[in-house]
Amino acid sequence: MKINERQLELTDRQIKRILASGNYYSGVYQKAGISGVSTPEEFEKIPFTDKSDLRNAYPLGIQAVPDEQVVRIHSSSGTTGKPVIIPYTARDVEDWATMFARCYEIAGITARDRIQITPGYGLWTAGIGFQAGCEKLGAMAIPMGPGNTDKQIQMMIDLQSTVICATSSYALLLAEEINKRGLRDKIALKKGVIGSERWSDVKREYIARELGIELYDIYGLTEIYGPGIGINCSDQYGMHVFDDFLYTEIIDPQTGEVLPDGEEGEIVITTLVKEGAPLIRFRTHDLSRIIPGECSCGRTYPRLDTITGRSDDMFKVHGVNMFPSQVEEILGMVDGVGSEYKIDIAHDETKNRDIIMITAEAEGRVEFARVGEEVKRLCKSRLGVTPNVTIVSINTLPRSEKKTQRVFDHRGD
Ligand code: ZN
């Protein structure tokens, strides 16, 4: 979807504000000779930016307003390197809550719902975003934060929470516990709002079935407000993204070429009205595609398909490019194998070969050695690599309250 007139006008205003602010990006745009934007062609010439710029500008180099307008900061740590700090103005906080409340509404959640929020509060954007959207909607927030599963389940029963907000891993853990303790009849959950990361259909079906709920994928990232910039509707096909606040493009992660609607690539986002830390053409490294055409629900917000992975999660073994999602797909094909897994990659110096090790979980009813062989065989035929496979009991691998790291590369260790 090409950038429209209104979005161009807003981006032009953003560029002018950035230049006047003298922030990190004003230097970048001055050097590139950019003073504004008036056509889609000009827009596509604006250089991309990503997390490395935000690290270079640490701590507050991207701030585009005077200090007295900043009301809050958030930070994303990432797995490596310096954290990133994002300043917010009062309007940014308000806009984020507006988008988040919209997400709840699209998921059919109303002021009568009781929303149990399990993502973390604090520097991370998650918990507080779920909370602000909930309050804006007028629903009852139950601000649990992460962990303490006993207390989570107790509150869920006592307060009869109707909505659970969680990462897919934590929702899975709660579903497993509720199942194990035989408490399904005591809970009143109807919907789950799950922070969008790549997660398997096996896991989705298990959570939906065990908790008896409808699941909604909510999208977002700290650099662009936080979670709550898009969600799937009840038609369950793609996440609506709010194009009055954001312009979304899909690019080829290798060449940077803008791809037409329908083609898969990396999501790039431009913030149209963000004041504290405006970002233009920010590379998210999330892989997806824009679903062409209009949604049957009647909403005209463009739709992103389910996130299939991250362009920086790609790993190379024996010169072959692979994504964790490919391994996940294989695990989903073997009966009795669960949805949690990890991939370790090492280098065998003596043989001068890369070794890939997959650890996955399986239910007690299946023979671990046999399913391990099956996973190995499928990897060989479908991915062209033969991993060492270790099968462990369900619940052995850690369940994360944040995005789960799947790939551990030990080759530089
Ligand atoms: Zn829809």
Side-chain angles (χ1 to χ4, degrees), residues 332-346:
M333 293 162 67
V334 183
D335 177 49
V337 173
S339 55
E340 292 292 312
Y341 65 96
K342 77 179 180 106
I343 301 165
D344 289 275
I345 308 158

Side-chain angles (χ1 to χ4, degrees), residues 100-109 115 130 133-134 137 165 193:
F100 215 126
R102 243 188 228 173
C103 286
Y104 284 134
E105 275 166 357
I106 290 176
I109 295 164
I115 305 181
F130 281 95
C134 172
L137 179 72
C165 301
V193 178

Side-chain angles (χ1 to χ4, degrees), residues 292-310:
E294 264 171 42
C295 186
S296 47
C297 79
R299 292 182 187 88
T300 54
Y301 303 123
R303 285 170 300 160
L304 283 173
D305 209 340
T306 311
I307 308 293
T308 55
R310 291 193 43 87

Side-chain angles (χ1 to χ4, degrees), residues 252-272:
D252 179 324
Q254 250 87 49
T255 65
E257 182 201 352
V258 178
L259 298 174
D261 289 0
E263 278 184 39
E264 171 147 336
E266 181 180 330
I267 303 169
V268 172
I269 300 178
T270 294
T271 62
L272 300 172

Side-chain angles (χ1 to χ4, degrees), residues 168-169 172 196-205 217 306-310 313 315 322-335 337-343 356 358-361 375 378-379 382-383 387 397 403-407:
S168 61
S169 294
L172 176 70
S196 187
E197 56 180 318
R198 162 79 206 177
W199 56 311
S200 68
D201 290 342
V202 179
K203 201 185 213 176
R204 181 184 295 271
E205 279 155 26
D217 279 341
T306 311
I307 308 293
T308 55
R310 291 193 43 87
D313 266 356
F315 57 98
M322 284 192 282
F323 286 103
S325 54
Q326 292 173 296
V327 172
E328 202 167 297
E329 206 172 300
I330 286 172
L331 297 176
M333 293 162 67
V334 183
D335 177 49
V337 173
S339 55
E340 292 292 312
Y341 65 96
K342 77 179 180 106
I343 301 165
I356 171 166
I358 297 173
T359 311
E361 297 182 344
V375 170
L378 285 165
C379 286
R382 302 189 140 234
L383 305 178
L397 290 169
K403 288 190 181 182
T404 310
Q405 190 184 353
R406 303 287 187 193
V407 182

